[in-house]
Amino acid sequence: MSEYKLQTPLTEEDILKLRSGDKVLLSGLVYTARDAAHKRLFQALEKGEKLPFPIEGAVIYYVGPSPAPPGRPIGSAGPTTSYRMDTYAPKLYELGLKATIGKGKRNEAVKDALKAYKGVYFGATGGAGALLSQCIKQAKVIAYEDLGPEAIRVLQVQDFPLLVINDAFGGELYVEPNYNK
């Protein structure tokens, strides 16, 4: 397992050096989107409209942050369960998305899309939203403000700690919990 510092937008070269289990400190712009926002992104695509952010090389973080406390750009910002976006993810990877951030497993269609379009799925530590928010230096709603916490935001992150769960080669990092111990 290796450690990398990466800057967005991500390139194919960035993606192809990553393997499941690698640690990444990500800096740059990251976009937030959850279920409702993904539905609207696809409605826009169906109408032939432009997406509200550049998808090529982008990273989407599955998060619905809490309100920002005084003096902070964002509140707690922990990952949400990723499988709810599995219906949408393959098409976004096809359009140039390079990474998603969340928690939990992805379905086979997403894993196939990672291989076909050279993408990765990063895991962020669930339950650590307050700590993760410390790596977010700026946050601004850029689309679907009416969705509240699920609005699309652009985040400026610095050394955001991630773990490569699924890589572009079919590698997967997952440990089945053993509740019998």
Side-chain angles (χ1 to χ4, degrees):
M1 291 184 225
S2 300
E3 295 184 21
Y4 297 96
K5 282 189 159 217
L6 296 178
Q7 180 76 36
T8 64
L10 297 178
T11 65
E12 189 171 303
E13 181 181 339
D14 292 328
I15 299 304
L16 293 179
K17 65 184 167 187
L18 299 174
R19 299 294 183 275
S20 295
D22 286 349
K23 296 176 186 177
V24 172
L25 293 176
L26 186 67
S27 296
L29 301 180
V30 171
Y31 302 93
T32 70
R34 285 184 43 168
D35 316 48
H38 274 77
K39 183 176 180 180
R40 289 204 188 163
L41 289 172
F42 270 68
Q43 290 169 342
L45 288 171
E46 287 170 358
K47 294 176 187 175
E49 297 173 357
K50 189 175 175 186
L51 295 178
F53 59 90
I55 195 78
E56 188 67 35
V59 177
I60 294 178
Y61 184 21
Y62 303 142
V63 61
S66 65
R72 294 285 308 139
I74 201 164
S76 184
T80 196
T81 305
S82 301
Y83 75 82
R84 293 194 317 262
M85 278 59 74
D86 282 0
T87 301
Y88 307 106
K91 181 65 176 176
L92 294 174
Y93 280 108
E94 180 184 347
L95 293 173
L97 181 70
K98 284 297 173 198
T100 53
I101 304 169
K103 66 180 181 182
K105 291 177 124 182
R106 305 311 298 266
N107 70 21
E108 290 305 313
V110 174
K111 293 180 215 176
D112 290 344
L114 296 177
K115 289 186 278 187
Y117 305 111
K118 310 297 187 276
V120 297
Y121 168 53
F122 291 120
T125 304
L131 289 173
L132 290 170
S133 74
Q134 299 301 307
C135 299
I136 300 170
K137 304 308 177 189
Q138 295 177 16
K140 179 182 176 188
V141 173
I142 60 168
Y144 317 136
E145 188 170 3
D146 62 301
L147 295 178
E150 291 200 38
I152 293 180
R153 289 170 172 73
V154 59
L155 307 178
Q156 176 70 46
V157 300
Q158 181 177 353
D159 294 334
F160 197 85
L162 301 167
L163 191 61
V164 178
I165 304 299
N166 296 103
D167 64 33
F169 304 97
E172 180 173 26
L173 177 68
Y174 183 74
V175 178
E176 192 70 42
N178 183 350
Y179 299 110
N180 296 323
K181 285 188 174 182

Coordinates of all heavy atoms in Angstrom, one line a residue, residues 110-166:
V110 N -20.9 -0.3 -11.2 CA -20.0 0.8 -10.9 C -18.6 0.3 -11.0 O -17.7 1.0 -11.6 CB -20.3 1.4 -9.4 CG1 -19.2 2.4 -9.0 CG2 -21.6 2.0 -9.4
K111 N -18.3 -0.9 -10.5 CA -17.0 -1.5 -10.6 C -16.5 -1.6 -12.0 O -15.4 -1.4 -12.4 CB -16.9 -2.8 -9.8 CG -17.0 -2.6 -8.3 CD -17.0 -4.0 -7.7 CE -17.9 -4.1 -6.5 NZ -17.9 -5.4 -5.9
D112 N -17.5 -2.1 -12.9 CA -17.2 -2.2 -14.3 C -16.9 -0.8 -14.9 O -16.0 -0.7 -15.8 CB -18.3 -2.9 -15.1 CG -18.5 -4.3 -14.7 OD1 -17.6 -4.9 -14.2 OD2 -19.6 -4.9 -15.0
A113 N -17.6 0.2 -14.5 CA -17.4 1.6 -15.1 C -16.0 2.1 -14.6 O -15.3 2.8 -15.4 CB -18.5 2.5 -14.6
L114 N -15.6 1.8 -13.4 CA -14.3 2.2 -13.0 C -13.2 1.6 -13.9 O -12.2 2.3 -14.2 CB -14.0 1.8 -11.5 CG -14.9 2.4 -10.5 CD1 -14.6 1.8 -9.1 CD2 -14.8 3.9 -10.4
K115 N -13.3 0.4 -14.3 CA -12.4 -0.3 -15.1 C -12.5 0.3 -16.6 O -11.4 0.6 -17.2 CB -12.6 -1.8 -15.2 CG -12.2 -2.5 -13.9 CD -12.3 -4.0 -14.0 CE -13.7 -4.5 -13.8 NZ -13.9 -5.9 -13.7
A116 N -13.7 0.5 -17.1 CA -13.9 0.9 -18.4 C -13.4 2.4 -18.7 O -12.9 2.7 -19.7 CB -15.3 0.8 -18.9
Y117 N -13.7 3.2 -17.7 CA -13.4 4.6 -17.8 C -12.3 5.2 -17.0 O -12.1 6.4 -16.9 CB -14.7 5.4 -17.6 CG -15.9 4.9 -18.5 CD1 -16.9 4.2 -17.9 CD2 -15.8 5.1 -19.9 CE1 -18.0 3.7 -18.7 CE2 -16.8 4.6 -20.7 CZ -17.9 3.9 -20.1 OH -18.9 3.4 -20.9
K118 N -11.6 4.3 -16.3 CA -10.4 4.7 -15.5 C -10.8 5.6 -14.4 O -10.4 6.8 -14.4 CB -9.3 5.3 -16.4 CG -8.9 4.6 -17.7 CD -8.3 3.2 -17.4 CE -7.8 2.5 -18.6 NZ -8.8 1.7 -19.3
G119 N -11.5 5.1 -13.4 CA -11.9 5.8 -12.3 C -11.6 5.1 -11.0 O -11.2 3.9 -11.0
V120 N -11.8 5.7 -9.9 CA -11.7 5.1 -8.6 C -12.8 5.5 -7.6 O -13.5 6.5 -7.9 CB -10.3 5.5 -7.9 CG1 -9.1 5.0 -8.6 CG2 -10.3 7.0 -7.6
Y121 N -13.0 4.6 -6.6 CA -13.9 4.9 -5.6 C -13.1 5.0 -4.3 O -12.4 4.1 -3.9 CB -15.0 3.8 -5.5 CG -15.8 3.9 -4.2 CD1 -16.5 5.0 -3.8 CD2 -16.0 2.7 -3.4 CE1 -17.3 5.0 -2.7 CE2 -16.7 2.8 -2.3 CZ -17.4 3.9 -1.9 OH -18.2 3.9 -0.8
F122 N -13.2 6.2 -3.7 CA -12.5 6.5 -2.4 C -13.5 6.3 -1.2 O -14.6 6.7 -1.3 CB -12.0 7.9 -2.3 CG -10.9 8.3 -3.3 CD1 -11.1 9.3 -4.2 CD2 -9.7 7.7 -3.2 CE1 -10.1 9.7 -5.1 CE2 -8.7 8.1 -4.1 CZ -8.9 9.1 -5.0
G123 N -13.0 5.7 -0.1 CA -13.7 5.7 1.1 C -13.2 6.8 2.0 O -12.0 7.1 2.1
A124 N -14.2 7.4 2.7 CA -13.9 8.4 3.7 C -14.4 7.8 5.0 O -15.4 7.0 5.0 CB -14.6 9.8 3.5
T125 N -13.9 8.1 6.1 CA -14.2 7.5 7.4 C -15.6 8.0 7.9 O -15.8 9.1 8.2 CB -13.1 7.8 8.5 OG1 -11.9 7.4 8.0 CG2 -13.5 7.1 9.8
G126 N -16.5 7.0 7.9 CA -17.8 7.3 8.4 C -17.8 7.6 9.9 O -16.9 7.0 10.6
G127 N -18.6 8.5 10.4 CA -18.6 8.8 11.8 C -17.6 9.9 12.2 O -17.5 10.2 13.3
A128 N -16.8 10.3 11.2 CA -15.8 11.3 11.5 C -16.0 12.6 10.7 O -15.1 13.3 10.4 CB -14.4 10.8 11.1
G129 N -17.3 13.0 10.5 CA -17.6 14.2 9.8 C -17.1 15.5 10.3 O -16.7 16.3 9.6
A130 N -17.0 15.6 11.6 CA -16.5 16.8 12.2 C -15.0 16.9 12.0 O -14.5 18.0 11.7 CB -16.8 16.8 13.7
L131 N -14.3 15.8 12.0 CA -12.9 15.8 11.7 C -12.6 16.1 10.3 O -11.7 16.9 9.9 CB -12.2 14.5 12.2 CG -12.1 14.3 13.7 CD1 -11.6 12.9 14.0 CD2 -11.2 15.3 14.3
L132 N -13.4 15.4 9.4 CA -13.2 15.6 7.9 C -13.5 17.1 7.5 O -12.8 17.6 6.7 CB -14.1 14.7 7.2 CG -13.8 13.2 7.2 CD1 -14.9 12.4 6.6 CD2 -12.4 12.9 6.5
S133 N -14.4 17.7 8.2 CA -14.7 19.1 7.9 C -13.6 20.1 8.1 O -13.5 21.1 7.5 CB -16.0 19.6 8.6 OG -15.6 19.8 10.0
Q134 N -12.6 19.7 8.9 CA -11.4 20.5 9.2 C -10.6 20.6 7.9 O -9.8 21.5 7.8 CB -10.6 19.9 10.3 CG -11.4 19.9 11.7 CD -11.8 21.3 12.1 OE1 -11.1 22.2 12.2 NE2 -13.1 21.4 12.4
C135 N -10.7 19.7 7.0 CA -9.9 19.7 5.7 C -10.6 20.5 4.6 O -10.1 20.7 3.6 CB -9.7 18.3 5.2 SG -8.8 17.2 6.4
I136 N -11.8 21.0 4.9 CA -12.6 21.8 4.0 C -12.4 23.2 4.3 O -12.8 23.7 5.3 CB -14.1 21.4 4.0 CG1 -14.3 19.9 3.7 CG2 -14.9 22.3 3.1 CD1 -15.6 19.3 3.9
K137 N -11.8 23.9 3.3 CA -11.4 25.3 3.6 C -12.4 26.3 3.1 O -12.5 27.4 3.6 CB -10.0 25.6 2.9 CG -8.9 24.7 3.4 CD -8.8 24.6 4.9 CE -7.8 23.6 5.4 NZ -7.8 23.4 6.8
Q138 N -13.2 25.9 2.1 CA -14.3 26.8 1.5 C -15.4 25.9 1.0 O -15.1 24.7 0.6 CB -13.8 27.6 0.3 CG -12.7 28.6 0.7 CD -12.3 29.4 -0.5 OE1 -12.9 29.4 -1.6 NE2 -11.1 30.1 -0.4
A139 N -16.6 26.4 1.1 CA -17.8 25.7 0.6 C -18.8 26.7 0.0 O -19.0 27.7 0.7 CB -18.4 24.8 1.7
K140 N -19.3 26.4 -1.1 CA -20.3 27.3 -1.8 C -21.3 26.5 -2.5 O -20.9 25.6 -3.3 CB -19.6 28.2 -2.7 CG -20.5 29.2 -3.5 CD -19.7 30.0 -4.4 CE -20.7 30.9 -5.2 NZ -20.0 31.6 -6.3
V141 N -22.6 26.7 -2.3 CA -23.6 26.1 -3.1 C -23.6 26.6 -4.5 O -23.5 27.8 -4.8 CB -25.0 26.4 -2.5 CG1 -26.1 25.9 -3.4 CG2 -25.2 25.8 -1.1
I142 N -23.6 25.7 -5.5 CA -23.5 26.1 -6.9 C -24.7 25.6 -7.7 O -24.9 26.0 -8.8 CB -22.2 25.6 -7.6 CG1 -22.1 24.0 -7.5 CG2 -21.0 26.2 -7.0 CD1 -21.0 23.5 -8.4
A143 N -25.6 24.7 -7.1 CA -26.7 24.3 -7.9 C -27.7 23.6 -6.9 O -27.4 23.1 -5.9 CB -26.4 23.2 -8.9
Y144 N -29.0 23.8 -7.2 CA -30.1 23.1 -6.5 C -30.2 23.5 -5.1 O -30.4 22.7 -4.2 CB -30.0 21.6 -6.7 CG -29.7 21.1 -8.1 CD1 -28.8 20.1 -8.3 CD2 -30.3 21.7 -9.2 CE1 -28.5 19.7 -9.6 CE2 -30.0 21.3 -10.5 CZ -29.1 20.2 -10.7 OH -28.7 19.8 -11.9
E145 N -30.1 24.8 -4.8 CA -30.1 25.4 -3.5 C -31.3 24.9 -2.7 O -31.2 24.7 -1.5 CB -30.0 26.9 -3.5 CG -29.8 27.5 -2.1 CD -29.4 29.0 -2.2 OE1 -29.4 29.6 -3.3 OE2 -29.2 29.5 -1.1
D146 N -32.4 24.7 -3.4 CA -33.7 24.3 -2.7 C -33.6 22.9 -2.0 O -34.4 22.6 -1.2 CB -34.8 24.3 -3.7 CG -34.6 23.3 -4.8 OD1 -33.6 23.5 -5.6 OD2 -35.5 22.4 -5.0
L147 N -32.5 22.2 -2.3 CA -32.4 20.9 -1.7 C -31.7 20.9 -0.4 O -31.5 19.9 0.3 CB -31.5 19.9 -2.7 CG -32.2 19.6 -4.0 CD1 -31.2 18.7 -4.8 CD2 -33.5 18.9 -3.8
G148 N -31.4 22.1 0.1 CA -30.8 22.3 1.4 C -29.4 21.6 1.5 O -28.5 21.8 0.7
P149 N -29.3 20.7 2.5 CA -28.0 20.0 2.7 C -27.6 19.1 1.5 O -26.4 18.9 1.3 CB -28.3 19.0 3.9 CG -29.4 19.6 4.6 CD -30.3 20.3 3.6
E150 N -28.6 18.8 0.6 CA -28.3 17.9 -0.5 C -28.0 18.8 -1.8 O -27.8 18.2 -2.9 CB -29.4 17.0 -0.8 CG -29.5 15.9 0.2 CD -30.2 14.6 -0.2 OE1 -30.1 14.2 -1.4 OE2 -30.9 14.1 0.6
A151 N -28.0 20.1 -1.7 CA -27.6 21.0 -2.8 C -26.2 20.6 -3.2 O -25.4 20.1 -2.5 CB -27.7 22.4 -2.4
I152 N -25.9 20.9 -4.5 CA -24.6 20.7 -5.0 C -23.7 21.8 -4.5 O -24.0 23.0 -4.7 CB -24.5 20.5 -6.5 CG1 -25.2 19.2 -6.9 CG2 -23.1 20.5 -7.0 CD1 -25.3 19.0 -8.4
R153 N -22.6 21.5 -3.9 CA -21.6 22.5 -3.4 C -20.3 22.2 -4.1 O -20.0 21.1 -4.5 CB -21.4 22.3 -1.9 CG -22.6 22.8 -1.1 CD -22.4 22.4 0.4 NE -23.4 23.0 1.2 CZ -24.7 22.7 1.2 NH1 -25.1 21.7 0.5 NH2 -25.6 23.3 2.0
V154 N -19.5 23.2 -4.2 CA -18.1 23.1 -4.5 C -17.3 23.3 -3.2 O -17.5 24.3 -2.5 CB -17.6 24.0 -5.7 CG1 -17.8 25.5 -5.3 CG2 -16.2 23.7 -6.1
L155 N -16.5 22.4 -2.9 CA -15.6 22.4 -1.7 C -14.2 22.6 -2.1 O -13.7 22.0 -3.1 CB -15.7 21.1 -0.9 CG -17.1 20.6 -0.5 CD1 -16.9 19.3 0.2 CD2 -17.9 21.6 0.3
Q156 N -13.5 23.5 -1.4 CA -12.0 23.6 -1.5 C -11.5 22.8 -0.4 O -11.7 23.1 0.8 CB -11.6 25.0 -1.5 CG -10.1 25.2 -1.5 CD -9.5 24.9 -2.9 OE1 -10.0 25.4 -3.9 NE2 -8.4 24.1 -2.9
V157 N -10.8 21.6 -0.7 CA -10.3 20.7 0.3 C -8.8 20.8 0.3 O -8.1 21.1 -0.7 CB -10.8 19.3 0.1 CG1 -12.3 19.2 0.2 CG2 -10.3 18.7 -1.1
Q158 N -8.2 20.5 1.5 CA -6.7 20.4 1.6 C -6.4 19.2 2.4 O -6.8 19.0 3.5 CB -6.2 21.7 2.3 CG -4.7 21.7 2.4 CD -4.2 23.0 3.0 OE1 -4.9 23.9 3.3 NE2 -2.9 23.0 3.3
D159 N -5.6 18.3 1.8 CA -5.2 17.1 2.4 C -6.4 16.3 3.0 O -6.3 15.8 4.2 CB -4.1 17.4 3.5 CG -2.8 17.9 2.8 OD1 -2.6 17.6 1.7 OD2 -2.1 18.6 3.5
F160 N -7.4 16.1 2.2 CA -8.6 15.4 2.6 C -8.2 13.9 2.6 O -7.9 13.4 1.6 CB -9.7 15.7 1.7 CG -11.1 15.3 2.2 CD1 -11.8 16.2 3.0 CD2 -11.7 14.1 1.8 CE1 -13.1 15.9 3.4 CE2 -12.9 13.8 2.3 CZ -13.6 14.6 3.1
P161 N -8.3 13.2 3.8 CA -7.8 11.8 3.9 C -8.8 10.8 3.3 O -9.9 10.7 3.7 CB -7.6 11.6 5.4 CG -8.6 12.6 6.0 CD -8.8 13.7 5.1
L162 N -8.3 10.0 2.4 CA -9.1 9.0 1.7 C -8.4 7.7 1.6 O -7.1 7.6 1.7 CB -9.4 9.5 0.3 CG -10.2 10.8 0.2 CD1 -10.2 11.3 -1.2 CD2 -11.6 10.7 0.8
L163 N -9.1 6.6 1.4 CA -8.6 5.3 1.1 C -9.2 4.8 -0.2 O -10.4 4.9 -0.4 CB -9.0 4.4 2.3 CG -8.4 3.0 2.4 CD1 -6.9 3.2 2.6 CD2 -9.0 2.3 3.6
V164 N -8.3 4.3 -1.0 CA -8.8 3.7 -2.3 C -9.5 2.4 -2.0 O -8.9 1.4 -1.5 CB -7.7 3.5 -3.3 CG1 -8.3 2.9 -4.6 CG2 -7.0 4.8 -3.6
I165 N -10.8 2.3 -2.2 CA -11.6 1.1 -2.0 C -11.7 0.3 -3.3 O -11.3 -0.9 -3.3 CB -13.0 1.4 -1.5 CG1 -13.0 2.3 -0.3 CG2 -13.8 0.2 -1.3 CD1 -12.3 1.7 0.9
N166 N -12.1 0.9 -4.4 CA -12.1 0.2 -5.7 C -11.2 1.0 -6.7 O -11.4 2.2 -6.8 CB -13.5 0.2 -6.3 CG -14.5 -0.7 -5.4 OD1 -15.3 -0.1 -4.7 ND2 -14.4 -2.0 -5.5

